Amino acid sequence: MIKFFLMVNKQGQTRLSRYYEHVEINKRTMLEAEVIKNCLSRSKDECSFIEYKDFKLVYRQYAALFIVVGIDQIENEMAVYELIHNFVEVLDKYFSRV
């Protein structure tokens, strides 16, 4: 199950966030800061899956935009990785030149 969905730029600013479980506002900001720091600090040679606390992070970079999805431990990482790509393709078709 997807826990949250984030779109973040290279400067670490959150552009879009959607939570599918209730998380208090102050915990959201701390969670986003830690997740963004973990994803932005990794090189392109490293895997796009990170185990973080009690869930996994799946992220993908498109130019200056990072899309990060938090999922349960039992969720398939490759399926979520492909979901991110399909989401970006839909945005590109709808808005053109995403």
Side-chain angles (χ1 to χ4, degrees), residues 41-78:
S41 65
R42 295 173 65 91
S43 71
K44 290 190 178 202
D45 296 332
E46 293 182 277
C47 182
S48 295
F49 312 137
I50 305 170
E51 295 211 12
Y52 178 77
K53 294 189 178 179
D54 61 339
F55 52 90
K56 295 178 190 174
L57 301 174
V58 178
Y59 71 94
R60 197 159 183 172
Q61 181 180 0
Y62 292 93
L65 188 68
F66 282 83
I67 299 176
V68 183
V69 180
I71 58 174
D72 285 337
Q73 291 288 346
I74 59 172
E75 193 70 42
N76 185 343
E77 300 95 347
M78 287 303 293

Side-chain angles (χ1 to χ4, degrees), residues 9-27:
N9 66 9
K10 274 191 175 179
Q11 289 77 32
Q13 299 168 326
T14 303
R15 296 299 179 196
L16 173 85
S17 66
R18 175 72 174 133
Y19 289 84
Y20 298 99
E21 292 181 347
H22 176 70
V23 180
E24 295 178 16
I25 298 293
N26 57 352
K27 289 185 179 180

